Amino acid sequence: MNAGKRYCLADYILTIYIPSDINFGENLIKIGGEGDYLSSITVSITEDNYSIVTDNSGNWLYNRNLARNGQLSISLQQVSDKVAQLKTLFYLMYNNQSLSEGLNITLTDNLGNLIVTCEDCVITKIPDQTFGQESATQDWSLLSGRITF
């Protein structure tokens, strides 16, 4: 008899490592786990790794692309304390003209198994700040120089 599979977003932890030349006060931000108001995490590579070229005679050739740059999206409820931390981090990075490296980010499960690594990341912008009758989500977008699954 096969056991059923179980999934819970709270079992995943996103860790943002902050470069030493940013005076943030802490060297990392952890997002995820229980009670953190995390709605979703999405990691995507920008370019296709393979494309195909064909000719009229029926020949084909696969072109391999070694680029692994991409995008990371973190969706948080606006009531999360992490939103204020991400806003502060964005402004510190934006105003630091001598910043030589971006953020390194990892996604792990609650057992410590590494799922994905995103290197040299930058926050693209602060998401829209919407204040309505109910709490909204904020989608934080980051670019990554290299993503390794």
Side-chain angles (χ1 to χ4, degrees):
M1 177 181 268
N2 291 334
K5 301 290 182 185
R6 290 173 174 75
Y7 169 82
C8 180
L9 181 59
D11 289 341
Y12 296 91
I13 304 294
L14 189 79
T15 305
I16 301 172
Y17 297 92
I18 300 166
S20 58
D21 51 354
I22 296 177
N23 188 14
F24 187 70
E26 301 174 29
N27 63 350
L28 58 87
I29 298 172
K30 286 193 174 197
I31 299 174
E34 209 170 321
D36 219 4
Y37 301 103
L38 176 64
S39 295
S40 68
I41 302 166
T42 304
V43 181
S44 59
I45 292 178
T46 304
E47 302 288 331
D48 292 338
N49 291 121
Y50 288 94
S51 62
I52 192 168
V53 177
T54 61
D55 63 26
N56 292 337
S57 68
N59 291 316
W60 67 91
L61 170 71
Y62 290 108
N63 289 314
R64 185 173 179 202
N65 181 351
L66 297 179
R68 292 188 297 172
N69 58 302
Q71 190 167 359
L72 171 71
S73 178
I74 308 164
S75 183
L76 293 165
Q77 287 290 323
Q78 72 186 107
V79 297
S80 174
D81 293 338
K82 305 303 179 182
V83 168
Q85 288 182 313
L86 289 171
K87 284 181 195 174
T88 301
L89 181 58
F90 171 81
Y91 282 117
L92 288 171
M93 290 181 74
Y94 182 79
N95 291 321
N96 187 340
Q97 299 301 318
S98 63
L99 187 62
S100 62
E101 61 181 305
L103 308 165
N104 287 321
I105 299 173
T106 60
L107 178 64
T108 57
D109 65 16
N110 62 352
L111 299 175
N113 296 314
L114 183 63
I115 297 165
V116 66
T117 300
C118 303
E119 298 174 53
D120 196 23
C121 300
V122 293
I123 301 170
T124 58
K125 68 174 188 157
I126 290 179
D128 295 343
Q129 302 295 294
T130 304
F131 301 93
Q133 273 187 312
E134 296 180 3
S135 171
T137 57
Q138 293 185 358
D139 295 327
W140 288 81
S141 178
L142 297 94
L143 296 176
S144 176
R146 181 174 33 221
I147 296 173
T148 306
F149 287 95

